[in-house]
């Protein structure tokens, strides 16, 4: 069951949608030649589907693999979706000249809820101590977004002179990055 779980992790790291099977095969079997890697990919995909218990949870179409969102709730997707929504609100409000924007996030009265929810989804580095090179890019991207989110949220509370909330927010950031 190790390789099917590793495949699932790699799929999430590569975005979970329309991920080239070749990319997954290269990541999981870097020393295998093309045919052997793709054969191992096919067998592992079957085992992953069996492990999940739902064949339709993972789609393979034209060599691309997609995780069906009807069967998966992934915290990284939820985290990024909340931050994207907050950034869109911030950009719209900045264009109107209505609200301050910090680190790309709106500091309007609506966004603390989005930012706090996003902060709660971040549970530390993506895949923790996983040393796979394919996990690094997503790990760093999520960490950067989290720290920008912490900064914006802390600034929001500072602006309202709610120092205890700002301090709590910054403490969460320091737990992730003490610099």
């Amino acid at each position: 069951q190790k390789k099917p779980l590793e495949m699932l992790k790699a799929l999430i790291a590569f975005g979970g949608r329309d991920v080239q099977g070749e990319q997954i095969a290269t990541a999981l079997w870097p020393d295998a030649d093309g045919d052997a890697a793709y054969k191992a990919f096919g067998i592992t995909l079957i085992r992953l589907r069996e492990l999940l218990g739902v064949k339709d949870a993972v789609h393979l179409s034209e060599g691309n693999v997609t995780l069906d969102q009807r069967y998966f709730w992934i915290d990284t997707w939820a985290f990024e979706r909340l931050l994207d929504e907050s950034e869109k609100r911030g950009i719209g409000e900045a264009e109107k000249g209505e609200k301050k924007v910090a680190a790309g996030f709106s500091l309007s009265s609506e966004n603390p809820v989005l930012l706090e929810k996003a902060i709660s989804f971040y549970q530390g580095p993506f895949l923790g101590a996983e040393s796979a090179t394919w996990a690094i890019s997503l790990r760093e991207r999520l960490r950067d977004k989290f720290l920008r989110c912490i900064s914006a949220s802390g600034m929001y509370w500072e602006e309202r002179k709610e120092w205890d909330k700002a301090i709590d927010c910054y403490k969460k950031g320091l737990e992730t990055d003490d610099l």
Side-chain angles (χ1 to χ4, degrees), residues 135-166:
I136 295 171
S137 178
L138 180 59
R139 180 181 299 145
E140 291 303 311
R141 186 176 83 231
L142 293 172
R143 181 181 164 278
D144 179 61
K145 286 183 175 190
F146 173 75
L147 293 174
R148 288 189 307 120
C149 181
I150 287 288
S151 176
S153 185
M155 288 174 66
Y156 174 85
W157 295 120
E158 281 184 50
E159 190 175 89
R160 281 146 187 79
K161 301 194 183 336
E162 296 206 34
W163 308 117
D164 289 339
K165 289 183 179 180

Side-chain angles (χ1 to χ4, degrees), residues 104-128:
F105 300 107
S106 168
L107 296 183
S108 69
S109 59
E110 301 146 2
N111 270 7
V113 174
L114 290 175
L115 295 178
E116 289 299 315
K117 194 168 185 178
I119 289 169
S120 74
F121 285 154
Y122 189 84
Q123 298 297 307
F126 176 68
L127 296 181

